[in-house]
Amino acid sequence: MSRRGWALFVAMSVIWGIPYLLIKVAVGEFDPVLVVFGRCVLGALVLVPLVLVRGQLRGLARHWRPLLAFTVLEMTGPWLLLSIAEQSLSSSLTGLLVATVPFVAALAGRLLGDEERLSRVRIGGMLLGVAGIVALLGLDVRGAQLVAIGAVVLTVIGYGTAPLIISRQLSDVPGWPRAPSPWS
């Protein structure tokens, strides 16, 4: 892999990994509900004005059911469940459990009729990713409580299935135009 590839890999690892550490710190000081509320408020303060300026709220009312389902499965539910789980689980165990999302997404897609093949290479790649996370973070199961692990499992199910709502029920909703990548 090139230096640029390694730099991007490291950057994405940090970007994706830092939230679990920050959640762990936040739930040590604040109630999980307050942490989730704060995350939602901050996101809304940034995104709602942008959406309003672009006029992208028009026409969304007819899609309220799939939008609500997506929000519950992708944000509200997982953020609350992760915040609760991180009160007793290590960030490394939480990260490792969340790394199983691609398995749930692949299985859910197959159960719902997606034609994408689950090849040996694809499954091997997902297993290699999980092994890499174990190698980097370790497997710290001290103090792991079944309820907290169950909360992360529900989070993984939400994260793995919510994108199916976008692809199946919200594909006609205009999205944010993608800016050209400086790396493409």
Side-chain angles (χ1 to χ4, degrees):
M1 191 175 345
S2 69
R3 285 184 180 171
R4 186 175 125 248
W6 276 109
L8 292 172
F9 174 74
V10 169
M12 285 309 300
S13 298
V14 170
I15 289 167
W16 281 97
I18 289 290
Y20 298 101
L21 173 62
L22 295 177
I23 291 168
K24 182 74 171 176
V25 170
V27 297
E29 300 294 323
F30 303 103
D31 183 76
V33 173
L34 185 60
V35 172
V36 173
F37 180 76
R39 289 179 74 183
C40 291
V41 167
L42 287 173
L45 288 173
V46 171
L47 295 175
V48 169
L50 293 172
V51 170
L52 288 172
V53 166
R54 291 175 161 259
Q56 291 182 311
L57 281 182
R58 282 178 250 136
L60 288 183
R62 64 187 164 118
H63 298 289
W64 74 270
R65 284 184 181 97
L67 283 170
L68 178 63
F70 176 80
T71 302
V72 168
L73 289 171
E74 183 71 27
M75 289 170 267
T76 312
W79 291 358
L80 181 59
L81 291 168
L82 279 175
S83 296
I84 291 168
E86 287 250 22
Q87 289 181 309
S88 63
L89 294 181
S90 67
S91 291
S92 63
L93 180 57
T94 304
L96 180 61
L97 291 171
V98 171
T100 63
V101 167
F103 295 97
V104 171
L107 180 61
R110 290 294 289 173
L111 290 174
L112 292 174
D114 282 355
E115 297 299 321
E116 195 169 335
R117 236 182 73 145
L118 289 176
S119 67
R120 289 181 188 181
V121 171
R122 186 172 180 203
I123 293 170
M126 290 188 290
L127 290 171
L128 182 63
V130 170
I133 291 169
V134 171
L136 289 172
L137 300 177
L139 184 59
D140 182 7
V141 295
R142 289 175 283 140
Q145 298 173 353
L146 195 55
V147 172
I149 291 173
V152 179
V153 167
L154 289 174
T155 295
V156 167
I157 292 169
Y159 282 163
T161 57
L164 293 170
I165 294 171
I166 297 292
S167 65
R168 293 172 178 271
Q169 297 179 4
L170 296 170
S171 59
D172 64 324
V173 174
W176 200 271
R178 199 175 86 103
S181 170
W183 297 286
S184 43

